[in-house]
């Protein structure tokens, strides 16, 4: 289908984009890579009168180091995140997740911030963002504010970003030396996750000294598996510890049932994938 008619504006600064959002209010929609918004507009599930394209705002693009964090601009394409040496060194979990996200074409056009702002519970970046304690920098008429990953995902396709706000960048605390793995379960490669587990661990003196576990498509939002993390910390870095900890992967989950699998099947998957993700993460951890 062809989208309903709309007007288009492509500001070159964040301030201009925020002013346009203020001016057009509910009638406007932000356009990033268009990989989720354009299909929705073509199906006429959304028909904004104004589309505000962030594609010309250079300051929203790129990856840099800032003290104990790496900072990823919202408009950075997935393909750039996947290939970036800072991400590989300090946030390997993101690299592992992005390389499993969609196909080459989508990774080339779709953006890191767009995917997180879209907040599809089956999206592959929410779980890793939770596991890595990412911080979201959101700009609005009152200036910038920072929201932690735990508070960013509010509900199905809903985040803490207000209608008059723009996600500017994501700050990811460095996890240098941590092992990481993203275990994604799909029927056909390049599909959305039926279920996936993001795991990153730090090993010290033969024990788990740090752990971050995020679950994809196990509820209305991406979820953090705190029970699994608790069951790992301070315990020997062994398969036995991992097996016991993975048994807590379904605490607090509320998975959907659909043609790809019912809720019980997804609960089973979550445990199996958590075990696999942790074993792979452990094999890559330093120390
Ligand atoms: C065929 C196909 C397969 C895919 N498979 C996967 C997959 O396996 N895993 C996965 O995770 N994703 C997948 N995706 C989605 C992909 O990750 C998209 O890139 C992503 O969902 C949206 O990013 P975008 O930059 O294209 O944003 P857009 O589509 O432009 O925008 C998405 C939404 O976020 C809002 N938005 C965008 N940027 C901002 C911002 N900076 N501030 C505030 N609001 C903003 C928009 O207004 C819109 O509502 C797939 C997409 C396609 C087309």
């Amino acid at each position: 289908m062809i989208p309903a008619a709309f007007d288009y504006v492509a500001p070159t600064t964040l301030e201009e984009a925020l002013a346009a959002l203020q001016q057009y209010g509910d009638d406007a929609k932000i356009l990033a890579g268009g990989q989720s918004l354009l299909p929705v507009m073509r199906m006429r599930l959304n028909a904004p009168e104004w589309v505000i394209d962030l594609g010309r705002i250079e300051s929203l693009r790129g990856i840099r180091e800032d003290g104990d964090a790496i900072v990823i601009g919202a408009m950075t394409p997935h393909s750039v995140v996947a290939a970036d040496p800072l991400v590989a060194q300090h946030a390997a979990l993101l690299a592992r997740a992005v390389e499993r996200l969609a196909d080459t074409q989508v990774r080339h056009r779709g953006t890191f911030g767009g995917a997180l702002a879209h907040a599809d519970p089956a999206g592959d970046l929410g779980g890793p963002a939770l596991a890595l304690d990412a911080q979201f920098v959101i700009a609005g008429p009152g200036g910038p504010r920072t929201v932690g990953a735990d508070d960013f995902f509010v509900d199905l396709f809903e985040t803490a970003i207000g209608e008059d706000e723009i996600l500017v960048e994501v700050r990811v605390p460095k996890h240098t030396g941590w092992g990481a793995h993203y275990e994604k379960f799909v029927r056909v490669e390049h599909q959305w996750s039926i279920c996936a587990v993001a795991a990153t661990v730090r090993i010290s003196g033969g024990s788990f000294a740090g752990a971050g576990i995020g679950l994809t498509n196990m509820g209305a939002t991406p979820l953090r598996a705190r029970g699994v993390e608790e069951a790992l910390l301070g315990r020997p870095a062994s398969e036995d510890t991992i097996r016991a900890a993975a048994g807590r992967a379904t605490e607090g989950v509320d998975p959907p049932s659909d043609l790809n699998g019912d809720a019980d099947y997804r609960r089973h998957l979550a445990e199996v994938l958590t075990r696999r993700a942790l074993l792979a993460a452990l094999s890559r951890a330093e120390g």
Side-chain angles (χ1 to χ4, degrees):
M1 255 204 289
I2 296 175
F6 58 87
D7 281 308
Y8 171 87
V9 57
T12 53
T13 66
L14 179 61
E15 292 69 28
E16 285 169 19
L18 287 169
L21 255 189
Q22 282 275 83
Q23 187 177 348
Y24 304 125
D26 287 352
D27 298 330
K29 204 77 186 134
I30 293 286
L31 174 70
Q35 298 302 294
S36 294
L37 180 61
L38 293 187
V40 163
M41 287 172 63
R42 288 172 67 107
M43 287 186 276
R44 302 215 178 186
L45 297 172
N46 202 321
E49 287 177 22
W50 283 89
V51 168
I52 303 170
D53 184 354
L54 303 183
R56 293 189 193 160
I57 307 179
E58 277 307 313
S59 63
L60 295 181
R61 226 178 269 275
I63 301 172
R64 65 178 200 279
E65 212 167 356
D66 183 12
D68 57 5
I70 60 167
V71 185
I72 304 176
M75 286 297 289
T76 309
H78 300 309
S79 55
V80 172
V81 176
D84 186 83
L86 284 175
V87 173
Q89 187 181 357
H90 301 300
L93 181 57
L94 284 181
R96 302 268 168 202
V98 174
E99 68 195 11
R100 297 296 315 277
L101 183 158
D103 52 39
T104 308
Q105 290 93 324
V106 173
R107 289 198 293 272
H108 188 65
R109 294 292 309 177
T111 67
F112 190 71
L116 288 162
H118 189 56
D120 189 322
D124 291 308
L125 300 183
L130 285 166
L132 290 166
D133 283 315
Q135 302 273 308
F136 294 76
V137 181
I138 300 168
R145 64 189 179 100
T146 301
V147 176
D150 284 339
D151 296 318
F152 181 75
F153 300 102
V154 175
D155 206 341
L156 197 67
F157 297 107
E158 190 185 337
T159 69
I161 306 171
E163 300 232 317
D164 53 358
E165 293 183 314
I166 292 174
L167 176 63
V168 174
E169 61 193 21
V170 181
R171 300 178 64 86
V172 184
K174 284 182 183 169
H175 285 64
T176 320
W178 290 50
H181 186 72
Y182 188 68
E183 186 74 19
K184 174 169 173 171
F185 188 83
V186 283
R187 280 190 301 122
V188 178
E189 193 59 31
H190 303 318
Q191 270 187 340
W192 293 82
S193 289
I194 295 172
C195 171
V197 177
T200 188
V201 294
R202 183 166 73 83
I203 307 302
S204 177
S207 296
F208 287 105
I213 317 294
L215 306 178
T216 304
N217 215 8
M218 288 299 289
T221 64
L223 298 172
R224 184 153 183 178
R226 297 253 181 220
V228 178
E229 295 173 8
E230 267 173 37
L232 293 171
L233 289 177
R235 297 212 164 74
S238 68
E239 192 169 345
D240 283 349
T241 303
I242 286 174
R243 195 171 287 278
R248 296 184 61 181
T250 54
E251 288 177 7
V253 302
D254 184 16
S257 287
D258 56 31
L259 287 176
N260 285 316
D262 63 18
D264 282 344
Y265 179 59
R266 281 192 165 88
R267 284 194 188 88
H268 169 72
L269 278 178
E271 283 194 26
V272 173
L273 302 184
T274 298
R275 194 173 69 238
R276 287 185 195 163
L278 281 168
L279 284 171
L282 174 60
S283 73
R284 295 179 180 135
E286 291 175 11

